[in-house]
Structure formats: C-alpha cells, structure tokens
Amino acid sequence: MIGILVVIVVSWLLLWLVSREHLTVLGIKPSRRRLTEFGSGFVLMAIACSINLLWQAHFKGVSYTLNPDYGIMDGLTGIWWTVKAVLFEELVYRGVLLYLLIKKIGIVKACLIDALVFGIYHWFSYGMFGSSIAPMIYVLLVTGAGGWMFAYAFAKTKSLFAPFGLHLGWNLISIVVLSDGPLGNQLLIPSDGAAELGGWPTLLFFLWQLLVAPGIVTWYLTKRYSDVSQKALEQE
C-alpha cells in the first residue's frame, strides 16, 4: 500500500511540474460511464482468462478441486493482494507517464512503447531475465499484448477505470480462482497434468493471449470511441 501512495505522490508532482495539470486528467473520478467501463472490462477478461486456463487444463488432463482449507479470510487476502498489485501496475504503466507520452507522440506510438516496457518489466517480475531466449520472447509478446490492450483502453476512454477492470478481471481469475500465480494454491487447486501442452494447442493459446483477446478489445474500443466520442470525453 505504501508503494501505491508513493506512486500517487510522485505522479501528482510530475504531472504538476510538467504540464500544471491535476491527477483528475487520468480519469480517476468515478462516474456511471467509468464504472460501466470497469465492470465490462472486468467481466470480459474474467471470461477470457477462464477460457484460456480451463481449456489448457483440458488439454493437459488437469482437473480442479475446491481447496478444503480455503476460508473467507484467505479469499479476502488474495483479492486484496491482487487488487493492490494491479492498481500499482496501472498507476505506473497507464498513469502519468503514458498520459504525457500520448500528448507528446500520439496514441499508437505511446501505447506500443508502453506495451514493450510492460513486457520487459515482466521478465523481472517473473524472475526470467537472463534465462533462455525462447521463454523470454514468449513472455515479452504475451504480457506486451496485455500492456497494449490496457494502454489502448486508457487512451481511448481517457480513464484508468477501463484498464484497471481489464487487468483485474484476468489476474483475479488467474491468481485467486484458478491458482495460477505467485500466491500458490487458492480457491481451486489444479491436479497434476498428464502431459505438457505441445503442437497446435500451444499455438492456439499463445494466439488467444497475443491476438484474440487484445484484438477484440482493440476493435471494440476503436469502434466505440470514435472521434466524436473522444471529443465528448475530453469535455467531461
């Protein structure tokens, strides 16, 4: 929590020093539209993550069982940890720096840079930096695609609510529900798989994370937030 407070203070100072603007330009004030964007993004990515992990489990021969030792406090702790982690990343990577970069070089270039930096960041957060090149490229592409999606959502909606919802929806299902994250066994415990994924299933799920989910979000945002809509958002 201290880290989040530090990011907020640094963001406020940076924004004020560079452009004499307030943090509200990041779209942090709740409104009906922004809460709807958060909820829609959350549900969409929760579904996308469920499809991704459950179908992978199917091809691996993995089944899930309810964790008998998992209580309400465990769930609340896992949710709170995930919310803090996602919020920290969104404030850092889709906050003031992206906002200023968009103003300087435009949406597409800024979002591509954000995606690249977000992908490289995951080399370190996953402890993969310096490992074999193939897994590093895989992580860079997959997490970079997610970074693009979150950055583009911020750019188009002019708010942190949409990327926060998208990011939280994926991470909450992955980490807290299906135990695929740094917290270990959570609500549902996977059994040992009969085999690792290979061949076309690996390609299928790689493309799902790289192109399909980010592509759907990008297409929708482009269609939904036209130039007219963008002008209306700027006047809020």
Side-chain angles (χ1 to χ4, degrees):
M1 195 63 186
I2 294 177
I4 292 175
L5 294 176
V6 170
V7 172
I8 291 173
V9 172
V10 172
S11 297
W12 174 76
L13 287 173
L14 181 61
L15 192 58
W16 179 252
L17 291 173
V18 173
S19 60
R20 291 296 190 272
E21 293 178 287
H22 194 269
L23 279 176
T24 52
V25 298
L26 302 180
I28 59 176
K29 292 176 64 175
S31 66
R32 178 177 295 182
R33 174 183 65 80
R34 288 169 180 168
L35 291 174
T36 299
E37 290 166 349
F38 168 83
S40 300
F42 180 90
V43 171
L44 178 62
M45 282 300 104
I47 293 172
C49 183
S50 297
I51 292 173
N52 180 58
L53 292 180
L54 291 177
W55 273 98
Q56 284 192 52
H58 170 75
F59 282 106
K60 290 179 180 179
V62 170
S63 60
Y64 285 92
T65 57
L66 188 65
N67 186 345
D69 301 320
Y70 200 71
I72 294 177
M73 289 307 301
D74 296 309
L76 292 176
T77 300
I79 292 171
W80 180 233
W81 184 93
T82 306
V83 167
K84 288 191 296 181
V86 170
L87 181 58
F88 178 81
E89 290 183 357
E90 289 307 307
L91 287 170
V92 172
Y93 294 100
R94 261 70 63 179
V96 169
L97 294 178
L98 179 59
Y99 173 80
L100 295 174
L101 199 59
I102 289 172
K103 292 182 67 175
K104 186 71 174 179
I105 63 176
I107 289 178
V108 174
K109 291 180 181 178
C111 290
L112 285 173
I113 291 173
D114 182 87
L116 177 61
V117 173
F118 194 62
I120 292 173
Y121 154 75
H122 278 86
W123 286 347
F124 298 92
S125 66
Y126 288 175
M128 297 186 64
F129 186 74
S131 64
S132 57
I133 190 66
M136 289 181 65
I137 292 176
Y138 178 87
V139 167
L140 176 67
L141 292 176
V142 170
T143 59
W148 161 269
M149 176 171 55
F150 306 147
Y152 196 68
F154 171 78
K156 281 297 188 179
T157 64
K158 299 187 180 299
S159 168
L160 280 168
F161 277 84
F164 182 59
L166 290 165
H167 199 166
L168 184 62
W170 186 283
N171 282 28
L172 205 61
I173 294 298
S174 174
I175 296 172
V176 178
V177 178
L178 297 178
S179 303
D180 185 37
L183 299 185
N185 289 338
Q186 293 291 297
L187 180 61
L188 299 177
I189 304 175
S191 65
D192 293 331
E196 290 296 322
L197 284 179
W200 70 266
T202 298
L203 178 61
L204 174 65
F205 294 113
F206 173 67
L207 293 177
W208 177 261
Q209 297 176 78
L210 180 69
L211 297 177
V212 178
I216 290 173
V217 172
T218 301
W219 170 82
Y220 173 77
L221 290 169
T222 302
K223 184 178 178 64
R224 171 69 177 81
Y225 297 96
S226 61
D227 292 338
V228 175
S229 299
Q230 289 295 99
K231 291 178 180 179
L233 290 177
E234 291 172 359
Q235 296 172 358
E236 282 195 356

